[in-house]
Amino acid sequence: MVRPASFGGNPQTAPSNAFQANPAGSTENDLQRGALQEFQGLATALDRAGVEVIVVPDSAVPPKPDAIFPNNWVSFHFDGTVALYPMLAPNRRWERRDEVLEQVMRTGGFRVTRTVDLTHRESEEKYLEGTGSIVLDRTHRVAYACSSPRTDLDVLGEFAQLLDYDLMTFDAEDAGGRAVYHTNVLMAIGTGFAVVCGESIPSAAHRSAVLSKLRATGHEVVDISQSQMLHFAANVLELTSSKGPILALSSTALASLSQPQRRTLEAHAALIPVEIPTIERVGGGGVRCMLAEIHLPKRDTASARLQS
């Protein structure tokens, strides 16, 4: 998690993000204060739930209004790979900081064996915004992605080849017919469940293919509505804790779910809801966007001693 230093509305991302609202009437200090409080609430809730949380502070200069969403520029993988991604908004590219990666490796004692750097694609105006653009079924090696200005299929293909994933691609639209900006607001994949907004996939054939693939890989599907998607019901993340699997989600997301949907999710993980209204409304992202989950292997004891 990256603790924000300059949270606020980002005019460079607003054109492609229908979830993002104009922060009119709020001062920069108000937005930063609110986001910082909500950020700490999530970090504390996860820590209490038994999740190991690594918090890295954002740098104040240059100001980065979306630094609170690190999952868009980096992902961490079981084989020791770190992937870096091309970002659409120029002011979001400043979020890629070596200091963040260094602190993650140092604090967590993780081992990195390879870096896959896709950021050169920015010069071609082709983008792929991490696990915002891609929802990964890491167990079955399937990458789900909806095309959008932030998710270029050519870069996606390069990602799949380099990290050995099969692709499931589709178009997705909100109720107004606008392309959904990130796949992770319409679907989430856990160990034994998946949340997906089938309504957002206009092609019946593509919708059926996505749902069939999820069920074929052993996932119990919670199919949510467009309204629930707008309440971040799919922007959730399963995490491993010392107490068992948990599902991190916002209170907004939880309140939008029906009782049967809640019971389905509770059968797979303990639900950990947090209040993040400022981050959702102004940033246009939810709990899942705030978390860059780490799947890297740990360094062995001898290696750790040599590097300490």
Side-chain angles (χ1 to χ4, degrees):
M1 298 181 67
V2 176
R3 182 185 293 111
S6 308
F7 178 85
N10 189 348
Q12 294 187 20
T13 59
S16 60
N17 185 348
F19 291 73
Q20 190 175 329
N22 190 319
S26 300
T27 67
E28 291 181 0
N29 286 339
D30 288 340
L31 295 176
Q32 168 63 13
R33 189 181 309 112
L36 197 57
Q37 182 177 359
E38 293 166 15
F39 171 92
Q40 191 58 52
L42 175 58
T44 299
L46 294 178
D47 180 67
R48 288 175 177 169
V51 176
E52 181 183 355
V53 181
I54 298 175
V55 173
V56 183
D58 181 26
S59 55
V61 180
K64 299 175 285 299
D66 288 323
I68 201 168
F69 302 132
N71 80 305
N72 296 146
W73 66 265
V74 65
S75 63
F76 305 98
H77 300 266
F78 287 114
D79 66 351
T81 297
V82 173
L84 303 175
Y85 297 93
M87 309 284 286
L88 182 148
N91 66 2
R92 292 215 62 190
R93 299 168 194 173
W94 298 332
E95 297 171 26
R96 295 191 302 253
R97 298 164 48 224
D98 289 341
E99 303 96 306
V100 176
L101 301 179
E102 289 166 2
Q103 183 169 334
V104 167
M105 301 309 110
R106 183 173 62 252
T107 303
F110 297 108
R111 176 166 53 87
V112 175
T113 57
R114 179 177 68 147
T115 298
V116 170
D117 189 345
L118 301 171
T119 62
H120 64 280
R121 292 302 196 108
E122 289 168 351
S123 65
E124 305 169 23
E125 299 185 348
K126 293 182 176 182
Y127 312 108
L128 187 70
E129 298 194 336
T131 52
S133 290
I134 319 164
V135 173
L136 298 175
D137 179 347
R138 296 176 186 258
T139 300
H140 300 94
R141 312 300 297 175
V142 182
Y144 295 80
C146 64
S147 59
S148 80
R150 305 200 196 184
T151 304
D152 180 89
L153 297 183
D154 187 25
V155 188
L156 180 64
E158 184 177 359
F159 165 89
Q161 183 177 28
L162 290 170
L163 280 87
D164 191 28
Y165 274 88
D166 292 330
L167 290 177
M168 176 67 70
T169 61
F170 52 93
D171 293 329
E173 300 174 352
D174 63 21
R178 186 176 178 181
V180 177
Y181 82 110
H182 274 163
T183 313
N184 76 358
V185 296
L186 71 90
M187 71 183 304
I189 297 175
T191 304
F193 69 90
V195 181
V196 62
C197 180
E199 285 184 6
S200 70
I201 305 174
S203 164
H206 287 175
R207 186 186 321 121
S208 176
V210 169
L211 294 174
S212 295
K213 187 67 171 178
L214 290 170
R215 292 182 175 121
T217 49
H219 296 94
E220 186 174 9
V221 174
V222 175
D223 195 354
I224 63 172
S225 67
Q226 288 269 13
S227 175
Q228 289 174 314
M229 179 179 73
L230 288 173
H231 287 83
F232 296 94
N235 197 246
V236 302
L237 184 65
E238 182 187 54
L239 297 167
T240 300
S241 84
S242 59
K243 304 173 185 178
I246 68 134
L247 186 64
L249 73 169
S250 71
S251 298
T252 302
L254 182 62
S256 76
L257 296 172
S258 68
Q259 285 300 323
Q261 289 170 331
R262 288 192 194 191
R263 285 196 293 270
T264 297
L265 294 175
E266 287 170 341
H268 294 276
L271 307 188
I272 307 296
V274 294
E275 298 271 358
I276 56 163
T278 306
I279 294 167
E280 289 177 326
R281 176 177 58 86
V282 178
V287 163
R288 194 274 170 268
C289 300
M290 298 169 65
L291 301 169
E293 69 275 29
I294 302 173
H295 294 273
L296 294 169
K298 293 279 191 175
R299 297 195 303 268
D300 59 53
T301 305
S303 173
R305 281 198 301 266
L306 288 171
Q307 295 184 40
S308 63

